[in-house]
């Protein structure tokens, strides 16, 4: 199918699912997933695949940057301990639990660890979908966690893939080096690009051209991701750090007209990108199911249900309050739960 035809169909699916979401009072991503599955029944669309490079290099930097810019840095500082624990230790524990379960169900250890690393981190897009259903503080915690846990997951994922193909070896020094490079390099790249972006926006502001100012803003997340990837650091963390810094400096850099244009552009862009991702996931999910035979399909459904239950149970056990010897109930958060 021609690219233009696919874009028109994708846009129509977004429009219909969005309209139905308002009428039925259902979260739009649920209907977008269903729309993707429905589109999979069209023979010409079944072979459509989303190239991994498009997701990593186009969708991911933009989505992460806007989520980090709109996340409260004050709230992150308030609950920093809980965010760090869930963004690092919880990801590793979840990946291990899923890998162990998948191995019990018949998957070799290498692919099992790859699966665990892929599903362990929470997703910023999914958090934004549930933002209206949860208390604001819980949303902030989940959003902040989803912005940093990809760095941990990528380290686990790279180790799992490397060990599976025989190019990596497990040792404390090696793992520590990968973690330091992922987080340290990501932090440094994000801070450097943010500083350069601030200097550039100050000079562009003097020209009084809102289009050039917004073009500069668009280039910032891609630049942060690119710089980090050049040093094999976490591009995800680089974009997040850059976005958090720009969220504090941004209001003093742009004019009012530029800010209005920025909010309008990014709101539309986020809706289109998020919606397109959910539809493409539904489309590829149906293609994946069609490729399975009867026995393999049953095994896949069992594994999906088991992994989903494991994800919920591990998070519940990790984040649930627990009693200390002094009798005080605590959890992974730095202060009392808001419900």
């Amino acid at each position: 199918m021609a690219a233009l035809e696919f874009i028109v169909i994708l846009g129509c699916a977004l429009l219909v699912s969005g309209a139905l979401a308002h009428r039925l009072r259902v979260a739009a991503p649920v209907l977008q997933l269903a729309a993707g599955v429905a589109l999979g029944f069209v023979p010409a669309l079944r072979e459509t695949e989303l190239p991994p490079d498009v997701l990593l290099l186009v969708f991911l930097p933009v989505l992460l940057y806007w989520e980090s810019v709109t996340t409260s840095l004050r709230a992150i500082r308030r609950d920093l301990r809980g965010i760090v624990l869930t963004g690092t230790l919880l990801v590793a524990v979840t990946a291990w639990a899923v890998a162990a379960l998948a191995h019990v169900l018949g998957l070799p250890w290498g692919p099992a660890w790859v699966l665990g690393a892929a599903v362990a981190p929470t997703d910023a897009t999914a958090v934004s979908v549930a933002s209206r259903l949860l208390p604001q503080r819980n949303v902030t915690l989940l959003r902040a966690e989803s912005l940093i846990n990809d760095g941990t997951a990528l380290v686990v994922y790279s180790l799992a893939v490397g060990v599976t193909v025989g190019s990596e070896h497990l040792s404390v020094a090696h793992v520590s080096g990968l973690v330091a490079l992922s987080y340290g390099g990501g932090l440094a790249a994000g801070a450097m690009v943010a500083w350069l972006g601030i200097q550039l926006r100050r000079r562009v502001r003097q020209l009084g051209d809102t289009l050039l100012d917004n073009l500069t803003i668009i280039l910032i997340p891609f630049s942060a991701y690119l710089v980090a990837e050049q040093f094999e650091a976490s591009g995800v963390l680089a974009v997040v750090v850059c976005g958090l810094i720009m969220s504090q400096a941004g209001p003093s850099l742009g004019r009012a007209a530029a800010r209005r244009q920025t909010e309008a552009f990014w709101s539309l862009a986020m809706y289109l990108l998020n919606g397109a991702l959910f539809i493409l996931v539904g489309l590829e999910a149906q293609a994946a199911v069609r490729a399975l035979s009867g026995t393999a399909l049953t095994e896949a459904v069992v594994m999906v249900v088991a992994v989903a239950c494991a994800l919920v149970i591990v998070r519940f056990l990790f984040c649930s309050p627990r009693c200390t010897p002094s009798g005080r109930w605590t959890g992974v958060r730095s202060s009392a739960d808001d419900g």
Side-chain angles (χ1 to χ4, degrees), residues 13-298:
L14 282 173
L15 183 61
V16 172
S17 59
L20 288 176
H22 283 287
R23 181 174 294 274
L24 301 177
R25 299 183 181 275
V26 178
V30 175
L31 296 180
Q32 289 161 357
L33 280 171
V37 174
L39 290 176
F41 288 102
V42 180
L45 295 175
R46 290 176 186 170
E47 303 300 324
T48 302
E49 294 183 1
L50 180 63
D53 289 343
V54 173
L55 177 62
L56 292 176
L57 303 179
V58 178
F59 283 69
L60 193 61
V62 176
L63 294 172
L64 286 174
Y65 183 74
W66 186 244
E67 286 294 326
S68 58
V69 167
T70 55
T71 299
S72 172
L73 188 58
R74 179 180 300 178
I76 292 177
R77 289 197 297 264
R78 179 188 61 195
D79 296 305
L80 183 61
R81 182 175 69 90
I83 292 170
V84 171
L85 286 175
T86 53
T88 55
L89 183 59
L90 177 57
V91 174
V93 172
T94 304
W96 171 82
V98 171
L101 177 62
H103 183 65
V104 170
L105 294 176
L107 205 63
W109 272 115
W113 272 104
V114 172
L115 174 63
V119 301
T122 54
D123 180 69
T125 303
V127 172
S128 64
V129 170
S131 59
R132 297 181 180 180
L133 307 176
L134 299 172
Q136 184 58 41
R137 185 172 183 183
N138 295 68
V139 173
T140 302
L141 287 168
L142 288 171
R143 180 177 291 176
E145 174 198 346
S146 67
L147 294 176
I148 67 171
N149 55 18
D150 281 322
T152 306
L154 287 174
V155 171
V156 178
Y157 182 85
S158 63
L159 282 173
V161 173
V163 171
T164 302
V165 300
S167 62
E168 296 280 3
H169 63 282
L170 291 178
S171 66
V172 175
H174 182 61
V175 173
S176 300
L178 287 177
V179 172
L181 177 61
S182 178
Y183 279 90
L187 288 169
M192 182 186 70
V193 173
W195 182 83
L196 293 174
I198 291 172
Q199 304 307 313
L200 182 58
R201 287 196 62 191
R202 284 175 178 169
R203 286 161 174 76
V204 171
R205 181 185 179 182
Q206 298 174 359
L207 302 176
D209 192 328
T210 58
L211 292 176
L212 290 179
D213 192 16
N214 278 281
L215 176 59
T216 305
I217 295 173
I218 295 173
L219 289 174
I220 288 175
F222 295 107
S223 300
Y225 194 93
L226 178 62
V227 170
E229 288 294 311
Q230 293 300 312
F231 296 97
E232 298 185 355
S234 173
V236 170
L237 192 58
V239 173
V240 169
V241 171
C242 185
L244 291 174
I245 295 175
M246 295 303 297
S247 70
Q248 303 301 304
S252 63
L253 296 175
R255 301 177 184 272
R259 287 196 294 271
R260 289 195 298 269
Q261 191 178 78
T262 299
E263 292 177 1
F265 168 78
W266 283 90
S267 297
L268 178 60
M270 292 304 100
Y271 183 81
L272 293 177
L273 290 177
N274 281 326
L277 278 178
F278 280 108
I279 290 176
L280 289 170
V281 167
L283 189 62
E284 294 196 359
Q286 203 213 65
V289 170
R290 285 179 174 275
L292 298 174
S293 62
T295 304
L297 178 60
T298 303

